[in-house]
Amino acid sequence: MASPTPELLFDVPNFMRVYKDGTVERLIGTEIVPASTDPTTGVRSKDAVIDQETGVSARIYIPKTTANQNNKKLPLLVYFHGGGFCLETAVSPTYHHHLNSLAAEANVVVVSVDYRRAPEHPLPAAYDDSWAAIKWAASHSKGGGPEVWLNECVDFDSVFFAGDSAGANIAHHMGIRVGSENPDGFKLVGIALIHPYFGGEEPIGGERDNAAGKATGDKLWLLACPTSSGLDDPLFNPGKDPNFSKMGCGKVLVCVGEKDMLRDRGWYYKEELVKSGWGGVVEVMEAEGENHVFHLINPTCDNAVAMLKRLAAFMN
């Protein structure tokens, strides 16, 4: 007799199913590609274990024009992948190809963090892992870290954080943590938040016309963070964070898509960051006619190319 099908707890069609017995079925983002030398850009990549105990790792990218060739050290980008805290990895084809292109266009060294994912590892695991990766990268600032590329090629006075969707949420919180804790070893210059995954109890903007979409996003948040205080948890709604003004960099770029349900959260983020009393500069780049993470789905379209160039300019 066949085993009974476990009862479904959470279902995002074509993305992921979570069953009440704890089984997780991921329908996308499960492919992996090895580190390599990209034949198109000349960007090289390699993988590094950050914490043996937790298994946190990173994929490091170094552009063709390195410090050894031009006698000038390069900015460092610490990148956090998206996927609702539950999907994708730093070694998926989607992020591997995107960061090859970004490293080449911006001429930066990239550390792409492979954090533990919910629901098996609920938040704050992804935040803790990302902070561990930041501190690991900073341990190379005096040239004595385990990774030669970071020791020899990175200018630790020119560090940036970036991420898309849930990764943008992580990048934001890492920026707040930098501002709150003032860690040694690097200077955080700026943060780029691409289609950031934030929310709140009260619907705003286009959320009012898309109750089902908002409900799915809210449910995903509570799945990823079952200990959350709710939809106005400062981890999900930065406008409710009393530490918002402590953002530890001088500039922030928020990228939104006109047709993305999260668009208004990006604009709201800008408004709240300005109102918080933080003294930096925040800008929003909106892609006309585009939906959530369009640049990963269609990286050669005009808007994706324009965003890639804007991100490169932001870091230079």
Side-chain angles (χ1 to χ4, degrees):
M1 183 182 294
S3 300
T5 302
E7 190 175 351
L8 194 63
L9 175 67
F10 185 83
D11 181 22
V12 182
N14 304 317
F15 285 84
M16 180 178 68
R17 301 187 190 104
V18 181
Y19 298 91
K20 286 190 175 179
D21 67 353
T23 304
V24 180
E25 185 181 5
R26 292 180 172 89
L27 306 178
I28 65 165
T30 58
E31 293 179 78
I32 63 172
V33 292
S36 61
T37 298
D38 183 58
T40 303
T41 62
V43 171
R44 291 177 288 159
S45 55
K46 65 190 292 189
D47 296 326
V49 175
I50 290 170
D51 188 323
Q52 293 281 0
E53 187 174 333
T54 61
V56 178
S57 63
R59 177 158 289 182
I60 308 169
Y61 299 82
I62 187 167
K64 191 173 183 179
T65 305
T66 65
N68 294 334
Q69 292 169 301
N70 62 14
N71 203 32
K72 179 187 175 186
K73 293 197 171 187
L74 304 178
L76 173 67
L77 171 63
V78 183
Y79 193 90
F80 311 98
H81 70 80
F85 302 104
C86 300
L87 299 170
E88 294 286 355
T89 67
V91 298
S92 75
T94 296
Y95 287 99
H96 183 74
H97 299 322
H98 174 58
L99 293 174
N100 269 325
S101 298
L102 185 54
E105 182 69 34
N107 203 39
V108 297
V109 177
V110 181
V111 170
S112 178
V113 182
D114 206 20
Y115 52 83
R116 289 172 294 170
R117 297 174 300 175
E120 299 95 330
H121 301 282
L123 293 171
Y127 298 131
D128 293 341
D129 293 348
S130 297
W131 187 245
I134 289 165
K135 292 196 294 183
W136 174 84
S139 73
H140 295 77
S141 62
K142 292 183 171 59
E147 286 299 325
V148 173
W149 287 357
L150 300 186
N151 289 332
E152 294 185 353
C153 299
V154 169
D155 174 6
F156 285 93
D157 285 328
S158 187
V159 174
F160 295 83
F161 298 164
D164 63 278
S165 198
N169 177 302
I170 294 172
H172 157 76
H173 288 294
M174 295 305 100
I176 298 293
R177 192 157 178 180
V178 167
S180 299
E181 299 187 17
N182 296 310
D184 294 330
F186 68 97
K187 178 183 178 183
L188 181 62
V189 177
I191 298 178
L193 307 180
I194 304 162
H195 306 172
Y197 176 39
F198 296 127
E201 192 68 48
E202 290 297 319
I204 64 171
E207 293 174 349
R208 298 187 185 98
D209 301 319
N210 189 354
K214 184 179 187 305
T216 298
D218 294 348
K219 193 173 180 181
L220 183 61
W221 164 253
L222 296 172
L223 175 76
C225 192
T227 59
S228 173
S229 61
L231 301 180
D232 280 336
D233 188 324
L235 293 174
F236 193 46
N237 185 352
K240 302 295 185 181
D241 189 351
N243 293 316
F244 204 178
S245 64
K246 294 182 180 178
M247 177 62 71
C249 61
K251 61 178 183 175
V252 173
L253 173 65
V254 184
C255 297
V256 299
E258 181 191 14
K259 294 185 177 179
D260 184 4
M261 191 192 74
L262 293 173
R263 168 195 180 271
D264 296 298
R265 289 290 166 184
W267 282 103
Y268 175 73
Y269 179 93
K270 178 193 175 182
E271 294 166 9
E272 292 298 306
L273 184 55
V274 171
K275 286 198 299 188
S276 75
W278 171 70
V281 176
V282 55
E283 298 179 282
V284 177
M285 178 186 190
E286 181 165 325
E288 185 178 349
E290 300 291 2
N291 217 315
H292 194 61
V293 298
F294 73 91
H295 65 294
L296 300 177
I297 299 164
N298 187 9
T300 60
C301 72
D302 289 347
N303 281 332
V305 172
M307 192 173 79
L308 191 73
K309 291 185 181 300
R310 180 70 178 272
L311 290 169
F314 181 74
M315 290 184 282
N316 287 281

